[in-house]
Amino acid sequence: MRITLVEPYFTGSHAAWAREYAAHSSHEVELLTLPGRNWKWRMHGGAVTLASRFLEQPRPDLILATDMLDLTTFLALTRNQSHGIRTALYFHENQLTYPWSPSDQDPALQRDLHYGFINYASALAADAVLFNSRYHRDSFLGALPAFLKGFPDAVDADSAARIGEKSRVLPLGLDLRKLDRHRPQAGEGARVPLLLWNHRWEFDKAPEPFFEALYQLADEGVEFEVAVVGESFGRAPGVFRQARERLGCRVVQWGFLERFSDYAAWLWRADILPVTSRQEFFGASAVQALYCGCRPLFPDRLAYPEHVPVQALEKVLYREEEALVDRLRTLILDREDGALLDGFVERYDWEKLAPVYDSFLEGVAAGVDGVVPEVTAW
């Protein structure tokens, strides 16, 4: 089968997902992309540019697009060639429930609903709607009715249910096996516990409560080190600058690591992953750390519970009413390992997921009576 994968925002986890699926799939997957910048313009105009390129290529058996594409515009502009080709829309994130940072808010318009409407109309046009986690699917579908009620009239209320009927969970595939190449040969012996931050340096990852907990533990004299290795995009919250100064010599690594081998080395070395995010539709960086044996401390919300086996939930998740610093202190002082997760996240490796993707997308392309096959692995 020949698949055209359309990604207007080709960077970071979007790019990795597209490249890696193309590499691991048994199908021929051709990438149709634009550079990952100016996300708002990509959602508005990316479909126009990519439609022109699509018309220059051989006709595929299936179109696999992501949430950054205005699929309705793309299909309209390519109708002479795309007519009859079934489409699957993969949601890495969505603009209905994504928490916008203060810098993205337009005081005159409050939140611009048009980006959410692009997601909605694209989902309505697609034959299959795929989400990277159960939380993501449920939060998007749950937000749709109220979103539609916000418009003045002529709203198709039943459209939310139709989107729900063709929505499935297909987890994000990751090349976890490549982390094995950087696994240390032997342990370092007893040392100070190392805490890890390997997320983006942005508002939605909630760095403030993370660092506040570290400040309190440092003031108490609890021994720990911290490695902050996530990527910064130029407008990082001010708390990062303050944290580097306040934590001083406890900081053993600071800043994004260009080489994957360096990044992987810190994942294998880290002991504890405290997470405070306001938003996470999947959590690729967290899954990578879990694969490398880092013990997590996750909030009991968003997509995080899906990455933890049932028998470990009580030890790994903290609730809103619990103090993060208390759970973190216990975790540091106990110095337990991450064995209780027992390789649970290995199921996200492409070696296991690529055949699931391939089989599912074959079913979408076949389109038996318009019924989208269920993904049973999750």
Side-chain angles (χ1 to χ4, degrees):
M1 190 168 73
R2 186 171 183 274
I3 299 172
T4 295
L5 194 162
V6 189
E7 174 55 84
Y9 199 74
F10 193 68
T11 191
S13 60
H14 288 228
W17 172 81
R19 282 198 197 98
E20 291 170 6
Y21 177 52
H24 289 85
S25 175
S26 62
H27 301 305
E28 179 187 348
V29 181
E30 182 158 1
L31 305 185
L32 198 60
T33 69
L34 288 171
R37 54 178 180 263
N38 306 317
W39 74 267
K40 293 179 181 179
W41 172 233
R42 288 292 182 263
M43 289 194 73
H44 282 293
V48 178
T49 302
L50 294 175
S52 297
R53 296 182 188 175
F54 178 84
L55 293 173
E56 298 170 354
Q57 299 181 349
R59 179 181 165 93
D61 301 296
L62 178 77
I63 296 170
L64 173 59
T66 75
D67 57 278
M68 295 300 291
L69 182 74
D70 181 346
L71 182 60
T72 57
T73 297
F74 180 86
L75 293 177
L77 295 174
T78 62
R79 60 189 179 277
N80 289 340
Q81 183 150 318
S82 62
H83 176 71
I85 301 174
R86 290 173 64 82
T87 59
L89 183 67
Y90 193 88
F91 276 88
H92 289 279
E93 58 270 316
N94 77 81
Q95 300 305 320
L96 267 70
T97 64
Y98 197 105
W100 284 28
S101 71
S103 62
D104 278 327
Q105 297 283 8
D106 184 336
L109 299 174
Q110 297 182 354
R111 180 166 182 152
D112 189 337
L113 299 181
H114 188 63
Y115 302 101
F117 193 87
I118 290 174
N119 282 167
Y120 157 70
S122 295
L124 203 55
D127 295 294
V129 183
L130 309 174
F131 294 90
N132 52 7
S133 68
R134 290 192 301 274
Y135 162 75
H136 192 181
R137 177 196 61 192
D138 295 347
S139 63
F140 179 80
L141 296 177
L144 268 181
F147 174 76
L148 294 175
K149 286 179 182 177
F151 296 102
D153 60 12
V155 174
D156 182 358
D158 293 336
S159 61
R162 294 202 300 275
I163 292 172
E165 290 169 1
K166 58 185 175 181
S167 292
R168 301 290 183 265
V169 176
L170 193 56
L172 189 76
L174 296 167
D175 190 354
L176 296 172
R177 300 297 183 197
K178 69 178 179 180
L179 289 162
D180 291 335
R181 297 196 292 269
H182 308 287
R183 184 194 295 263
Q185 294 299 313
E188 300 178 40
R191 57 176 174 78
V192 175
L194 176 63
L195 279 54
L196 178 69
W197 173 285
N198 66 330
H199 326 294
R200 289 180 283 107
W201 295 21
E202 291 190 359
F203 164 83
D204 62 292
K205 300 306 178 187
E208 295 83 2
F210 173 87
F211 287 118
E212 286 295 335
L214 269 57
Y215 298 156
Q216 183 170 332
L217 293 174
D219 291 342
E220 294 174 8
V222 177
E223 285 192 312
F224 68 86
E225 295 176 331
V226 60
V228 179
V229 299
E231 189 169 7
S232 172
F233 294 93
R235 291 188 299 173
V239 68
F240 284 95
R241 182 180 63 256
Q242 300 161 11
R244 188 170 192 182
E245 295 173 359
R246 286 192 62 173
L247 294 172
C249 62
R250 293 176 182 269
V251 177
V252 293
Q253 167 59 36
W254 191 267
F256 179 68
L257 298 163
E258 293 287 346
R259 295 194 305 178
F260 182 80
S261 59
D262 295 334
Y263 171 71
W266 282 106
L267 296 191
W268 285 112
R269 183 180 169 187
D271 299 297
I272 300 171
L273 181 74
V275 172
T276 51
S277 293
R278 297 182 179 94
Q279 176 275 327
E280 195 60 83
F281 292 125
F282 181 79
S285 62
V287 168
Q288 288 175 327
L290 296 191
Y291 183 81
C292 293
C294 198
R295 186 168 184 186
L297 185 56
F298 287 159
D300 187 12
R301 51 188 167 81
L302 309 175
Y304 295 110
E306 298 175 46
H307 305 322
V308 181
V310 173
Q311 66 272 19
L313 289 174
E314 286 297 320
K315 288 193 173 184
V316 168
L317 303 180
Y318 66 93
R319 297 174 178 82
E320 293 295 339
E321 65 272 15
E322 293 184 280
L324 170 65
V325 68
D326 293 336
R327 291 290 301 272
L328 184 54
R329 183 191 303 108
T330 300
L331 205 56
I332 292 173
L333 297 179
D334 284 353
R335 301 198 179 196
E336 296 181 20
D337 60 30
L340 76 167
L341 300 181
D342 195 27
F344 188 71
V345 298
E346 291 181 9
R347 62 192 189 141
Y348 300 129
D349 186 78
W350 279 116
E351 183 178 300
K352 297 183 178 181
L353 263 184
V356 177
Y357 272 63
D358 285 350
S359 176
F360 179 80
L361 294 175
E362 286 170 15
V364 176
V368 181
D369 295 329
V371 177
V372 179
E374 181 62 87
V375 178
T376 57
W378 282 267

